[in-house]
Amino acid sequence: MPIRRMQTTIYFVDDWDPAIGFYRDVLGLKEVVNFPNRWAFFAVPGGGSIALQPRSGESANHVSIEVTGIKDFVAELKARGAKVIGDVCQQEHGETALIEDSSGNLIALLDTATSKFPHD
């Protein structure tokens, strides 16, 4: 199966410092990365992570699922009737694509095989 694991839930926030404080100090999650007003990343015990980004335009919260063979998987999903919002594109952290479920919820697909960063 191309799906490896749930990777990240991404939330877009309106006020950076209070959001960081909530996830770090109130929930007690480990802050892994914090590029102020750009990107923050928190490890969630048991696997997965929560990422924060500043809200801009029509940003939509979404989940990120790590997959293998993303190009073939997206083609397979299209053939099954999935709505692809963003075709496969290369980013620093790997190849990504964006799909939408039947209720309009966004799901980002990530294949880390081409990431510029270390991964397992």
Side-chain angles (χ1 to χ4, degrees):
M1 171 176 244
I3 297 175
R4 291 188 63 210
R5 64 182 169 195
M6 178 67 122
Q7 189 183 57
T8 306
T9 299
I10 300 174
Y11 290 125
F12 292 89
V13 300
D14 295 314
D15 198 349
W16 192 257
D17 292 330
I20 294 295
F22 177 81
Y23 287 94
R24 182 189 59 217
D25 304 330
V26 176
L27 284 182
L29 297 178
K30 180 183 177 194
E31 184 179 315
V32 178
V33 173
N34 184 352
F35 298 109
N37 294 304
R38 188 171 145 224
W39 177 257
F41 189 81
F42 297 87
V44 176
S49 59
I50 294 175
L52 304 179
Q53 289 184 276
R55 185 179 316 279
S56 65
E58 295 185 27
S59 304
N61 298 329
H62 61 275
V63 297
S64 175
I65 298 174
E66 188 173 335
V67 302
T68 59
I70 192 168
K71 290 176 184 166
D72 290 340
F73 188 48
V74 169
E76 182 181 322
L77 293 173
K78 282 182 184 178
R80 291 190 209 162
K83 184 174 182 181
V84 177
I85 303 299
D87 266 322
V88 177
C89 68
Q90 181 66 49
Q91 305 221 5
E92 287 186 332
H93 53 278
E95 289 180 297
T96 63
L98 191 63
I99 63 173
E100 188 176 80
D101 75 8
S102 59
S103 297
N105 297 305
L106 297 178
I107 302 165
L109 304 175
L110 170 65
D111 188 337
T112 59
T114 60
S115 174
K116 294 180 181 181
F117 306 107
H119 60 281
D120 60 2

